[in-house]
Amino acid sequence: AQRVTQPEKLLSVFKGAPVELKCNYSYSGSPELFWYVQYSRQRLQLLLRHISRESIKGFTADLNKGETSFHLKKPFAQEEDSAMYYCASQVQGNNRLAFGKGNQVVVIP
Amino acid sequence: ETGVTQSPTHLIKTRGQQVTLRCSSQSGHNTVSWYQQALGQGPQFIFQYYREEENGRGNFPPRFSGLQFPNYSSELNVNALELDDSALYLCASSLGLSSNYEQYFGPGTRLTVT
């Protein structure tokens, strides 16, 4: 079974400071990893996925198979980054997502 | 292009009652997945429908059932409601079963069981 762990529940950072959200996964195969974001009063939406290897809104995430991690990083936080962030995994071949509990990010002006 | 819609937005039911939640998939999407999100938790996969057939189920009891219609809209039915069923129910649609297809989420239905 897939399991995704996000250890910190709430992360408060000052504007301009770096942000790192930790995500670890457990699955014996080769899962696909995602970060989803939910801004206030908006629906859950995809932020980025590991296979695309792109930076979205300044965020990047690197899949580390040795550490089974997929941490999300942004060098300089902006106020508009305040949101709930969920790490999710998906078994290759189907699109059923297993989510972590989420991180609430608050960027202090 | 219309996004994923869900109805109702919220509802309150009594323990033991039955409830039906509805989801309209995004235009052109034939796959719908349902998730339960309890307070303070991430979404949990309930089941998925592809072209009107159930295609996988999470760890939920049989009193959680669903349907998908020819227009690919979907229903989630929950019988014999329990207090722990209080949650936000999300549906997500995608172009197909492949993991390459992004899932697009609806705004959710907030169910409160008293």
Side-chain angles (χ1 to χ4, degrees):
Chain A
Q2 303 173 74
R3 174 169 265 179
V4 176
T5 305
Q6 294 179 250
E8 302 104 1
K9 192 65 181 172
L10 174 65
L11 185 68
S12 297
V13 297
F14 285 100
K15 178 181 173 181
V19 178
E20 182 176 16
L21 302 181
K22 297 189 187 302
C23 172
N24 289 90
Y25 65 91
S26 64
Y27 180 64
S28 58
S30 297
E32 297 191 23
L33 277 300
F34 306 82
W35 278 97
Y36 278 79
V37 62
Q38 187 166 27
Y39 301 102
S40 179
R41 302 182 194 282
Q42 294 188 28
R43 59 188 68 191
L44 195 61
Q45 58 187 284
L46 178 65
L47 178 62
L48 53 79
R49 57 194 304 170
H50 88 271
I51 60 171
S52 62
R53 293 181 164 274
E54 53 188 348
S55 172
I56 304 292
K57 299 184 179 183
F59 285 97
T60 58
D62 291 318
L63 179 61
N64 185 323
K65 292 185 178 181
E67 295 182 359
T68 60
S69 68
F70 187 57
H71 303 328
L72 182 69
K73 299 176 185 179
K74 183 170 182 176
F76 308 105
Q78 303 299 314
E79 289 180 63
E80 56 265 28
D81 297 328
S82 295
M84 279 294 295
Y85 292 82
Y86 295 94
C87 183
S89 73
Q90 180 174 285
V91 174
Q92 278 189 351
N94 73 58
N95 59 2
R96 302 168 211 166
L97 294 162
F99 287 89
K101 291 186 177 182
N103 294 120
Q104 176 77 54
V105 172
V106 176
V107 180
I108 304 164
Chain B
E1 188 177 276
T2 307
V4 179
T5 60
Q6 292 186 243
S7 63
T9 305
H10 57 270
L11 73 167
I12 300 172
K13 290 285 189 178
T14 304
R15 192 171 52 183
Q17 286 187 315
Q18 178 266 342
V19 69
T20 297
L21 310 181
R22 294 178 176 82
C23 170
S24 290
S25 58
Q26 189 160 312
S27 177
H29 289 190
N30 57 23
T31 304
V32 172
S33 303
W34 285 92
Y35 295 83
Q36 181 196 65
Q37 186 173 17
L39 199 60
Q41 304 293 317
Q44 260 197 295
F45 175 75
I46 304 175
F47 44 55
Q48 180 181 75
Y49 280 84
Y50 171 67
R51 294 187 174 182
E52 303 179 60
E53 297 286 330
E54 186 179 295
N55 180 64
R57 188 178 185 91
N59 189 26
F60 281 82
R63 58 190 186 83
F64 284 78
S65 63
L67 276 175
Q68 188 177 31
F69 299 98
N71 66 355
Y72 303 132
S73 65
S74 178
E75 284 183 356
L76 164 65
N77 300 290
V78 187
N79 293 322
L81 283 166
E82 300 178 0
L83 297 179
D84 284 348
D85 297 333
S86 295
L88 181 68
Y89 288 84
L90 299 169
C91 80
S93 73
S94 60
L95 281 168
L97 293 175
S98 168
S99 54
N100 292 327
Y101 294 129
E102 180 177 343
Q103 292 196 48
Y104 293 84
F105 284 83
T109 294
R110 172 77 59 189
L111 172 65
T112 302
V113 182
T114 61

